[in-house]
Amino acid sequence: QVQLQESGPGLVKPSQTLSLTCTVSGGSINNGDYFWSWIRQPPGKGLEWIGYIYNTGNTYYNPSLKSRVTILVEMSKNQFSLTLTSVTATDTAVYYCARAPVGLSSYFDHWGQGALVTVSS
Amino acid sequence: EIVLTQSPGTLSVSPGERATLSCRASQSITSNYVAWYQQRPGQAPKLLVYGADSRATGIPDRFSSSESGTHFTLTISRVEPEDSAVYYCQQYGSSPLFAFGPGTKVEI
């Protein structure tokens, strides 16, 4: 059973860079059958897809965040990461990593537990 | 950019009743590209239904989905107390590639 776990600082200062890592266990991130995504949820609000990375290193980002987002993969550690630059209070959210199957239809079948990141001085 | 609208915002039902949740898309998509999630307080979302009407592993057959044009419906046939949660619809394939609706809160 695949499991995902987010890790990283819980507090980031405004204008700085948010960095999170997702560690995948129970399955290989090099499996070409899946996209590996980041999704966030501001407190009390809905879900926003940030972007995904494929095992080739190809990425696809939400246009609303594209200028500030980078997602990278580290195969040797079975991890992928998120960096979000120039953060403001509106970036305060629970950040989830999730897996989505590649195909004509896609959806998130496994999620991490989430990591709360607060942007505050 | 595609926008998903969910209604009602909050749905109050009694145990054993039927709950019908609506998701409307601002442009044409097919049910093959729609999924539904359940999120209980303090938990990550959990996949319920995807594609035309495929249930995720371990999801009881009380949960089903249907489509009528740009209108998608999640039905809980006989609501149980543990179904109290927020339910999100999600589409795949338009811009942004993955998009979620704002959610419907189901109160039992």
Side-chain angles (χ1 to χ4, degrees):
Chain A
Q1 172 79 331
V2 67
Q3 293 185 314
L4 298 90
Q5 177 69 57
E6 305 87 352
S7 59
L11 181 64
V12 181
K13 288 181 167 44
S15 80
Q16 295 192 342
T17 297
L18 178 159
S19 296
L20 292 171
T21 297
C22 181
T23 301
V24 178
S25 58
S28 173
I29 204 168
N30 199 22
N31 186 329
D33 292 335
Y34 300 102
F35 300 125
W36 303 92
S37 275
W38 287 97
I39 297 156
R40 70 179 183 177
Q41 184 173 38
K45 297 188 178 180
L47 300 161
E48 180 180 35
W49 174 72
I50 299 170
Y52 78 66
I53 191 163
Y54 191 52
N55 68 339
T56 57
N58 287 349
T59 53
Y60 198 110
Y61 301 135
N62 189 322
S64 68
L65 296 167
K66 185 177 181 179
S67 64
R68 298 193 293 131
V69 172
T70 302
I71 298 176
L72 298 174
V73 65
E74 180 141 21
M75 296 293 185
S76 63
K77 295 183 178 180
N78 222 33
Q79 296 176 334
F80 63 106
S81 64
L82 168 71
T83 58
L84 181 66
T85 61
S86 305
V87 297
T88 69
T90 59
D91 294 310
T92 294
V94 174
Y95 286 77
Y96 295 100
C97 55
R99 185 186 84 167
V102 174
L104 289 178
S105 171
S106 196
Y107 42 84
F108 302 102
D109 62 356
H110 286 84
W111 297 65
Q113 66 185 26
L116 174 63
V117 179
T118 302
V119 178
S120 175
S121 55
Chain B
E1 176 179 311
I2 192 168
V3 176
L4 300 178
T5 304
Q6 291 188 245
S7 61
T10 301
L11 179 63
S12 295
V13 293
S14 299
E17 290 186 338
R18 183 185 192 91
T20 303
L21 288 67
S22 172
C23 175
R24 290 187 183 272
S26 60
Q27 56 189 255
S28 178
I29 56 176
T30 77
S31 61
N32 285 337
Y33 304 139
V34 174
W36 290 88
Y37 301 84
Q38 176 192 69
Q39 186 178 34
R40 296 186 176 116
Q43 296 185 13
K46 179 171 72 172
L47 177 67
L48 294 175
V49 180
Y50 61 94
D53 188 20
S54 297
R55 279 182 298 278
T57 303
I59 302 302
D61 60 8
R62 303 185 289 107
F63 293 91
S64 63
S65 66
S66 61
E67 168 198 3
S68 177
T70 58
H71 181 207
F72 302 88
T73 300
L74 176 71
T75 301
I76 311 173
S77 59
R78 297 172 304 281
V79 167
E80 297 188 2
E82 65 262 30
D83 298 334
S84 183
V86 179
Y87 292 81
Y88 294 95
C89 59
Q90 170 247 308
Q91 72 83 36
Y92 169 73
S94 298
S95 179
L97 190 62
F98 293 92
F100 293 91
T104 290
K105 183 177 183 179
V106 173
E107 296 179 336
I108 312 298

